[in-house]
Amino acid sequence: MRTYSFMTVLLWSCMFHVIHMMPSQKRTNKHSRSERITGLSENDGKTLHRTKRGWMWNQFFLLEEYTGPDTQYVGKLHTDQDKGDGNLKYILTGDGAGSLFIIDENTGDIHAAKKLDREEKSLYVLRAKAIDRKTGRQVEPESEFIIKIHDINDNEPKFTEDMYTASIPEMSGVGTSVIQVTATDADDANYGNSAKVVYSILQGQPYFSVDPETGIIKTALPDMSRENRERYQVVIQAKDMGGQMGGLSGTTTVNITLTDVNDNPPRFPQSTYQFSSPESAPPGTPLGRIKANDPDVGENAEIEYSISNGDGSDMFDIVTDKDTQEGIITVKKHLDFENKMLYTLRVEATNTHPDPRFLQLGPFKDTALVKISVEDIDEPPVFSRPWYLIEIDEDAKEGSIIGQVVAQDPDITKNAIKYSVDRHTDLDRIFNIYSGNGSLFISKPLDREEAPWHNITVIATEINNPKQSSQIPVFIRILDINDHAPEFAKYYETFVCENAKAGQLIQTVSAVDKDEPPRGHKFFFELVPEFAVHPNFSIVDNKDNTAGIMTRRNGYSRSKTSTYLLPIIIFDNDYPIQSSTGTLTIRVCACDSRGNMQSCSAEALLLPAGLSTGALVAILLCIIILLVLVVLFTALKRQRKKEPLIISKDDVRDNIVTYNDEGGGEEDTQAFDIGTLRNPEAREESKMRRDVIPETIFQIRRTAPLWENIDVQDFIHRRLKENDLDPAAPPYDSLATYAYEGNDSIANSLSSLESLTTEGNQDYDYLSDWGPRFKKLADMYGGEDSDRD
């Protein structure tokens, strides 16, 4: 609804009167009236006169939004020069002249041609002038006047935003400011109450209120809870005219959200929880989740879980899932069904960010009871230790027990257990184990210098359930015994100068030993007893595992003796004492005055003898011819080479000549001529062996006939001894003829024909006593079969 006010427009007419003025005088109207000066031409000779005229204007006022049927009359322009005869013409220029404002050029009446809006333009500046139609001259100078648009209440208040968003913490007190809204009115605030805005609330009561003058929205109810209602929509009205009836109004919407505060403690939905776990669950295994409810959100709902007490606080743990705010119960230590079957925990849930303003509401935590039952499973055997360390001397005999491992079934049934050695860790089968009691013993000789440590794995398996097995590492350390003799640390190239003096040091020797005595090595050096008092050299023990070779006389001659052999005995100090003899080769060399070696060759002595160059060339040619002959002889021998009878290098059988004669023994002299054995000529002494090609043709040594020897056994032993002591014989026994059967063997028959008549397993332990030739059979048949997989 709009209200229009009308005002009377007064047009003041301007009166013109002429004021005579002297040429030297000048007058100015203090009201800024214009002056017109009329002058005469120079030929007229008349006196000049000044005509005084003045426009007296007030502001023209015009109502905006005029809706009448006719144009709105603004005012009238008039001058006293106008006689009403139509000779004057009024012209209007300036803002809106000719479009918004039109003037009657005859009468000077001004009308508004269109509806005006003060909010678009509040005043217009125009200029008016009157001219003579006949002469076209201005009868009045151009004057300026203002048309001001008078305001009416045609604009409603408008808010700066169509929709407002605000938030306030829940549980805020009454009168807490939420947000301020602002509305503006385009009407003239200086004229009436058209622009005076008053605020009121249309929607949102009784929760909120608004200040009518400032537009500040405040809470109207105490302790508003976000958990009950989080969002509110408030509608605010702004009305002009001071809120009176007939004023224009505008509205806006304010969305208010209650933000969360930590005013609610966590609460478990139930007081008791039940979980179960197999006893084989490793540490860290999750058993279940529990959750305490907290209606708050964000960090106000963050919960920390802990175990406050209970008999399982050492066996279990609880961690908080930050994403779901749940407590995850996990296994902390290994469980044992046989030890304890049920655990009870008291779990506590606590807010991590409590608000001190609401602590009076009560403790911000809650507790619940958790019961965990342990389930029994079939567990593998458990060893008494995590690993075993066994030490044994390297000279321990085969079959000696070196230690024992112990494992047992942790289940209530206590199943029997058998032991075995993982052969992947003992490929040489040096160790074995008794399957019944876990005792480890040696199967092969030990050598610390070859392998000081042996790391094997022992497996314990339940007999009733072979799938249940466990293994344990066993570290076997071989302890050193003094079984190696010391020897020279290296090969020494020793020389003595021909001009050496007695007591001169020519070489320092040291020794090494493969053994490692606990107190360290200590070596002693001395000459062999046969050379205890050597006429040429002596040895001095330095007491630091080294010894010095000293000369015992002045001067040595290469022409007499170019090389000396000095045997030295090296002892250690461990038990049992070991010693070895090393021979030191000492060459006699020519040296300068400083003792530096110049030549050690004995042939160099012949050079000063005066041999000519031709003689030396002849000697060289002879040597070349001899070498050629040797090469030709070797080539001829290779052409006559025959294939050996024994092809395989592994065939080490005795070379025995087999006869088909099967006599009746020694007493049967008719079937076989035993005299052949007593005839030394029966042996083909000049006949070479056909199974190998000898590198050198040895001269077979003839022995004295043994016709007087009646015992054939003694005869054969004599022949064996002769061959063993013969340096020209091959490096193994080779006897062409065997005829002596000998006494009965102490070994029983190896035939298995009678094995069916015996009950039980055969005892083959006696094979170990037959010597190294039966070691293979002893390994195959001897001992207990304790490590079969």
Side-chain angles (χ1 to χ4, degrees):
M1 181 177 180
R2 297 182 180 180
T3 303
Y4 297 95
S5 302
F6 297 93
M7 297 181 64
T8 303
V9 179
L10 300 177
L11 178 61
W12 294 81
S13 299
C14 297
M15 300 182 62
F16 293 85
H17 41 269
V18 180
I19 301 175
H20 297 279
M21 179 179 183
M22 298 300 293
S24 60
Q25 293 180 348
K26 183 177 179 181
R27 296 183 180 180
T28 304
N29 192 330
K30 64 179 181 180
H31 298 290
S32 299
R33 295 192 180 110
S34 300
E35 295 180 355
R36 187 187 67 175
I37 301 174
T38 47
L40 301 176
S41 65
E42 296 178 357
N43 298 325
D44 291 339
K46 295 182 180 180
T47 305
L48 296 176
H49 296 279
R50 183 177 62 181
T51 303
K52 185 179 180 181
R53 84 288 180 266
W55 296 83
M56 296 183 63
W57 298 95
N58 285 332
Q59 289 183 345
F60 291 100
F61 291 92
L62 187 64
L63 289 176
E64 66 171 338
E65 303 293 343
Y66 176 73
T67 58
D70 300 326
T71 58
Q72 190 177 3
Y73 181 75
V74 178
K76 184 179 181 65
L77 294 179
H78 185 71
T79 179
D80 55 359
Q81 299 291 332
D82 189 2
K83 304 300 183 179
D85 54 3
N87 290 330
L88 296 182
K89 179 182 178 180
Y90 294 96
I91 298 175
L92 185 65
T93 59
D95 296 339
S99 58
L100 295 179
F101 304 99
I102 57 177
I103 189 171
D104 189 339
E105 60 183 14
N106 295 321
T107 63
D109 293 328
I110 302 174
H111 292 79
K114 295 181 180 180
K115 181 173 63 173
L116 303 177
D117 188 356
R118 190 199 68 84
E119 285 71 34
E120 293 181 1
K121 193 173 180 63
S122 61
L123 57 87
Y124 296 87
V125 179
L126 297 107
R127 291 176 294 278
K129 60 183 176 179
I131 62 176
D132 191 337
R133 290 180 183 271
K134 295 178 180 180
T135 62
R137 296 176 58 187
Q138 292 186 12
V139 298
E140 293 290 343
E142 188 178 63
S143 298
E144 184 180 279
F145 65 95
I146 297 174
I147 299 177
K148 188 174 182 181
I149 308 302
H150 185 70
D151 181 49
I152 64 172
N153 190 17
D154 59 343
N155 292 280
E156 70 276 4
K158 292 185 179 180
F159 286 92
T160 56
E161 296 183 17
D162 295 335
M163 181 176 294
Y164 292 85
T165 301
S167 63
I168 186 175
E170 63 173 334
M171 309 299 290
S172 297
V174 177
T176 303
S177 297
V178 181
I179 192 174
Q180 182 178 15
V181 295
T182 303
T184 59
D185 196 321
D187 293 326
D188 189 0
N190 298 323
Y191 180 76
N193 293 327
S194 298
K196 185 177 182 181
V197 179
V198 175
Y199 299 95
S200 62
I201 184 169
L202 301 181
Q203 178 182 327
Q205 294 176 332
Y207 307 104
F208 299 94
S209 63
V210 64
D211 189 296
E213 295 183 359
T214 61
I216 298 176
I217 301 175
K218 302 179 180 179
T219 57
L221 285 181
D223 300 334
M224 287 189 294
S225 176
R226 184 200 63 84
E227 289 75 28
N228 296 332
R229 183 177 177 181
E230 184 177 3
R231 302 182 185 278
Y232 296 84
Q233 191 175 70
V234 179
V235 178
I236 302 297
Q237 180 189 65
K239 191 174 183 181
D240 60 11
M241 299 297 293
Q244 298 177 2
M245 185 177 297
L248 302 179
S249 64
T251 60
T252 187
T253 301
V254 182
N255 293 322
I256 301 175
T257 302
L258 296 183
T259 58
D260 185 59
V261 297
N262 194 3
D263 59 339
N264 294 281
R267 290 289 181 263
F268 283 104
Q270 59 191 70
S271 59
T272 304
Y273 294 85
Q274 295 279 349
F275 297 102
S276 62
S277 171
E279 61 176 337
S280 61
T285 302
L287 303 182
R289 293 171 175 256
I290 61 175
K291 184 177 182 180
N293 298 326
D294 191 334
D296 297 324
V297 294
E299 69 174 13
N300 296 323
E302 291 181 1
I303 302 174
E304 186 70 28
Y305 295 90
S306 61
I307 298 176
S308 58
N309 53 41
D311 56 3
S313 58
D314 295 336
M315 305 300 295
F316 301 94
D317 197 2
I318 186 169
V319 294
T320 304
D321 189 338
K322 299 299 183 181
D323 297 330
T324 61
Q325 297 300 316
E326 293 177 317
I328 306 174
I329 299 177
T330 60
V331 178
K332 187 176 181 180
K333 295 182 180 180
H334 287 285
L335 304 176
D336 189 1
F337 173 82
E338 290 73 24
N339 186 25
K340 190 173 182 62
M341 295 179 290
L342 181 64
Y343 294 90
T344 302
L345 307 175
R346 177 69 65 176
V347 177
E348 185 177 272
T350 308
N351 273 137
T352 57
H353 300 88
D355 194 331
R357 296 176 300 173
F358 305 104
L359 292 179
Q360 71 276 4
L361 300 178
F364 278 72
K365 61 182 179 180
D366 195 16
T367 58
L369 190 65
V370 178
K371 296 182 179 180
I372 302 175
S373 58
V374 181
E375 299 175 353
D376 186 26
I377 63 170
D378 190 4
E379 298 177 273
V382 177
F383 284 91
S384 59
R385 301 179 187 175
W387 47 270
Y388 289 86
L389 174 62
I390 299 176
E391 295 181 345
I392 183 173
D393 294 332
E394 63 176 322
D395 62 345
K397 296 182 179 180
E398 297 179 23
S400 300
I401 295 177
I402 62 174
Q404 184 181 18
V405 296
V406 178
Q408 63 178 357
D409 184 9
D411 299 322
I412 298 179
T413 55
K414 301 296 180 183
N415 293 324
I417 296 173
K418 66 175 182 179
Y419 302 89
S420 62
V421 176
D422 185 358
R423 289 305 173 191
H424 294 91
T425 61
D426 185 25
L427 297 177
D428 296 333
R429 294 179 175 266
I430 299 177
F431 302 96
N432 212 330
I433 191 171
Y434 289 107
S435 61
N437 58 11
S439 297
L440 287 165
F441 61 91
I442 304 173
S443 298
K444 292 183 179 180
L446 304 175
D447 187 358
R448 188 204 65 85
E449 287 71 30
E450 181 179 351
W453 284 88
H454 295 273
N455 301 328
I456 65 174
T457 299
V458 175
I459 302 173
T461 307
E462 291 185 10
I463 297 179
N464 296 336
N465 187 7
K467 294 182 179 180
Q468 296 296 335
S469 64
S470 58
Q471 56 187 17
I472 196 74
V474 179
F475 307 105
I476 302 175
R477 180 184 179 185
I478 309 302
L479 301 178
D480 183 42
I481 63 170
N482 195 24
D483 57 346
H484 289 82
E487 56 188 12
F488 281 131
K490 63 178 181 179
Y491 175 76
Y492 294 97
E493 295 182 356
T494 307
F495 71 93
V496 61
C497 295
E498 289 183 306
N499 56 357
K501 303 297 182 180
Q504 182 177 342
L505 176 66
I506 61 174
Q507 183 69 60
T508 300
V509 296
S510 61
V512 293
D513 194 340
K514 295 181 180 179
D515 296 320
E516 293 183 2
R519 294 174 296 178
H521 291 291
K522 182 64 178 178
F523 302 123
F524 304 95
F525 302 87
E526 64 181 35
L527 297 177
V528 296
E530 293 82 0
F531 296 88
V533 182
H534 199 279
N536 297 308
F537 304 98
S538 63
I539 186 170
V540 177
D541 195 336
N542 296 327
K543 307 301 181 180
D544 59 353
N545 295 337
T546 63
I549 308 301
M550 313 292 292
T551 58
R552 296 195 63 186
R553 63 187 180 87
N554 297 326
Y556 295 86
S557 176
R558 282 184 295 166
S559 60
K560 295 181 180 180
T561 305
S562 61
T563 303
Y564 292 94
L565 299 179
L566 185 63
I568 300 174
I569 302 177
I570 308 174
F571 299 90
D572 59 19
N573 67 334
D574 204 357
Y575 180 82
I577 296 176
Q578 299 287 344
S579 65
S580 67
T581 302
T583 302
L584 191 66
T585 302
I586 304 174
R587 294 183 299 164
V588 180
C589 301
C591 304
D592 57 13
S593 59
R594 296 182 180 180
N596 298 323
M597 182 182 65
Q598 293 181 340
S599 174
C600 294
S601 175
E603 288 77 5
L605 297 174
L606 301 177
L607 294 179
L611 293 178
S612 62
T613 305
L616 294 177
V617 172
I619 294 173
L620 182 61
L621 289 176
C622 292
I623 293 174
I624 294 175
I625 293 172
L626 289 176
L627 291 176
V628 171
L629 292 177
V630 172
V631 172
L632 291 176
F633 180 74
T634 304
L636 291 176
K637 285 182 63 179
R638 290 184 178 179
Q639 289 181 357
R640 295 195 299 257
K641 181 179 180 181
K642 295 181 180 181
E643 293 294 329
L645 295 177
I646 301 176
I647 304 299
S648 175
K649 64 179 180 180
D650 297 331
D651 194 347
V652 294
R653 297 173 295 174
D654 290 339
N655 216 6
I656 301 175
V657 179
T658 304
Y659 294 90
N660 293 328
D661 296 337
E662 186 176 0
E666 294 184 2
E667 297 178 359
D668 187 2
T669 59
Q670 301 297 327
F672 180 73
D673 188 6
I674 198 170
T676 305
L677 294 175
R678 298 187 176 93
N679 186 9
E681 303 296 333
R683 195 173 56 172
E684 295 179 319
E685 297 174 341
S686 61
K687 186 176 181 180
M688 301 301 298
R689 294 186 52 167
R690 294 179 297 170
D691 55 347
V692 296
I693 297 177
E695 296 182 359
T696 306
I697 300 176
F698 298 98
Q699 182 67 29
I700 300 176
R701 184 177 62 182
R702 295 182 178 272
T703 58
L706 300 175
W707 300 108
E708 69 279 7
N709 192 354
I710 301 176
D711 189 358
V712 178
Q713 181 180 6
D714 183 61
F715 169 75
I716 293 175
H717 286 311
R718 294 282 298 274
R719 286 288 185 264
L720 288 174
K721 185 175 181 180
E722 290 177 3
N723 282 273
D724 289 340
L725 300 178
D726 189 1
Y732 51 85
D733 294 340
S734 178
L735 196 61
T737 304
Y738 287 94
Y740 181 69
E741 185 173 326
N743 298 327
D744 295 339
S745 174
I746 62 174
N748 294 328
S749 175
L750 297 178
S751 173
S752 60
L753 297 177
E754 297 179 357
S755 60
L756 297 177
T757 61
T758 61
E759 296 181 0
N761 296 328
Q762 296 291 332
D763 185 9
Y764 298 104
D765 292 341
Y766 57 84
L767 295 177
S768 301
D769 302 329
W770 287 8
R773 294 181 180 273
F774 294 90
K775 189 175 184 304
K776 187 65 176 181
L777 287 175
D779 293 339
M780 294 173 58
Y781 291 92
E784 292 188 25
D785 189 11
S786 62
D787 59 339
R788 291 182 180 178
D789 296 332

